[in-house]
Each structure stands twice: as C-alpha cells, then as structure tokens.
Amino acid sequence: MSTPNIRPLGDRVLVQPKEEKEVTRGGIIIPDTAKEKPMEGTVIAVGVKRDKDGKEVPFDVKPGDTVLLPKYGGTEVKFNDTVYQIVRSEDLLGIIG
C-alpha cells in the first residue's frame, strides 16, 4: 500500500481509519450496513493551520499518530481502494499512546 498523494487544506487532517473486523468471535459475519464507523485511525497527512493573522500554527497531531475520530463528521474519500477520512483538526477527540 502506498501513501496517497492527498494534501489536506487548511486545518484539516487526512486519517486512515482502523479496519474493523468483519467476523465476530462466534463466526457471525457482520454486513457493511450494520458496522459502526471506526473510532480510531492513523494520521497520514496534515494541512497548514493558520491563525487569524495568517501565521502558521503547529498541529497537535503529526503523521503516524493514532487518533480518536468523531463518530459522525469528516468526509470519507477513497484512493486506490483504500478509504480515508478528512476531518478538521479541532474535531479530533484525542491522541492514543
């Protein structure tokens, strides 16, 4: 798998959600329509966040960080058969680890 050539704009972050298991311990297959959105993922890329004066502000996250994602929100994008989510940095719930 290669890193997508997507650079988020502004205060947005590109995250690859953690894949959920499709089969339960008992062997029951869970259909896509019944799965909940993943709540964590890996930061792939960050945009350039600026303050009201136009000065660049550092992000709280960096590529490689594992983050908690909001249950709803963000925009899902597909690149080379891999699903990513683009979310505003302020919508991230936390860093794991």
Side-chain angles (χ1 to χ4, degrees), residues 4 6 14 75-86:
I6 300 171
L14 179 69
T75 301
E76 195 174 275
V77 294
K78 197 170 187 178
F79 184 81
N80 288 339
D81 294 327
T82 303
V83 175
Y84 299 93
Q85 228 179 335
I86 297 177

Side-chain angles (χ1 to χ4, degrees), residues 12-50:
R12 291 175 180 83
V13 179
L14 179 69
V15 178
Q16 183 175 6
K18 180 180 173 185
E19 297 221 5
E20 295 292 316
K21 294 187 179 189
E22 297 184 14
V23 180
T24 65
R25 287 184 185 169
I28 298 171
I29 298 173
I30 302 170
D32 288 339
T33 55
K35 291 183 201 170
E36 285 197 24
K37 277 182 131 178
M39 292 295 291
E40 64 182 71
T42 303
V43 174
I44 303 299
V46 297
V48 178
K49 187 165 39 169
R50 299 192 183 277

